Amino acid sequence: AALLHLCLVDDFFLNIHKSMTTIMHELAHSLGFNPQSMAHFRQPDGTPYTERDINGSVPLRQVECTGIPNTTTYATLQLPSTKVMQFRNVRGGVRVAEIVTPHVQQTVRNHFGCFSLPGAELESSNSDGDGCIGEHWERRLFRTDLMNAIIDEVPFSLRISPITLALFADSGWYQVDLSRASIAAGWGRGSGCDFVERECISNSIVE
């Protein structure tokens, strides 16, 4: 369950497209685009991806948070199964979390043209608690997606990106209408594995 509170500020209707984009972004969070909900995703046969304890709850686990090297923090949270989320180090040691469910994995591999990618990267964080794992797509890779962290540059559309629809399809909670998918973003499309996994600047050289 979720509650969305709308604050109708003076420019709400003057900037209606931006307001609608913001509402769609926040609704997506409430519908499952957050690490807490991902721990409750279900497989196609209805069984949970993530194991439950004897009370039917997702157990709390200690996890090393995502973020830049040498800033290691830990948090205790309901961690999704490795069938949903996995961690690895990229771009000079940045620890990231990636969504590795089947449709997300296929979509992100097709988008970047990198068929060894484990999954789609979430934003990184170094804060404790719920902020340990980001709840947006990594902006560096998905800067025009509705579910990147900064939506000011997201073009207005009532359609949803293939990668975000793939996540909802893999949640096991929804039947996704693929006719509502947007055209795949141009940002990073076909750029290969290096675009995702290597640093943009190496030894003061922009790559």
Side-chain angles (χ1 to χ4, degrees):
L3 176 66
L4 184 64
H5 183 101
L6 298 181
C7 183
L8 302 183
V9 295
D10 292 341
D11 64 348
F12 183 91
F13 293 104
L14 293 176
N15 297 301
I16 189 63
H17 285 173
K18 181 179 178 181
S19 299
M20 291 176 66
T21 300
T22 301
I23 291 170
M24 292 169 63
H25 177 98
E26 298 304 334
L27 278 173
H29 281 311
S30 68
L31 292 173
F33 201 114
N34 62 80
Q36 296 78 22
S37 293
M38 293 172 191
H40 298 270
F41 281 5
R42 292 184 174 271
Q43 302 182 76
D45 64 2
T47 58
Y49 274 113
T50 306
E51 66 177 83
R52 304 294 199 260
D53 61 22
I54 59 173
N55 297 315
S57 299
V58 176
L60 294 172
R61 301 188 185 280
Q62 187 180 62
V63 58
E64 180 183 346
C65 297
T66 59
I68 60 177
N70 304 317
T71 57
T72 303
T73 58
Y74 294 86
T76 301
L77 46 79
Q78 291 181 320
L79 184 65
S81 161
T82 55
K83 294 180 180 179
V84 174
M85 180 185 295
Q86 294 179 15
F87 297 89
R88 67 177 180 136
N89 292 340
V90 296
R91 299 189 295 277
V94 177
R95 178 171 169 81
V96 302
E98 294 174 313
I99 303 304
V100 298
T101 50
H103 289 99
V104 170
Q105 183 185 79
Q106 179 181 356
T107 302
V108 75
R109 287 177 172 180
N110 289 342
H111 179 80
F112 292 113
C114 175
F115 298 97
S116 61
L117 279 179
E121 185 179 328
L122 297 174
E123 66 178 341
S124 298
S125 172
N126 282 304
S127 56
D128 294 332
D130 292 342
C132 180
I133 300 170
E135 55 181 24
H136 301 97
W137 294 128
E138 170 55 47
R139 178 172 170 77
R140 179 186 183 278
L141 305 178
F142 305 101
R143 63 180 301 159
T144 60
D145 194 279
L146 175 68
M147 295 312 296
N148 93 89
I150 302 174
I151 60 173
D152 290 350
E153 299 177 13
V154 174
F156 172 71
S157 175
L158 295 177
R159 296 181 178 273
I160 307 297
S161 71
I163 190 69
T164 296
L165 282 182
L167 181 138
F168 284 113
D170 285 339
S171 72
W173 300 350
Y174 307 106
Q175 289 186 330
V176 171
D177 181 359
L178 295 178
S179 71
R180 301 306 303 167
S182 65
I183 297 173
W187 179 257
R189 184 165 180 80
S191 296
C193 299
D194 284 352
F195 182 85
V196 179
E197 299 176 332
R198 293 185 61 182
E199 298 174 273
C200 295
I201 301 176
S202 178
N203 296 323
S204 300
I205 299 174
V206 178
E207 298 185 353

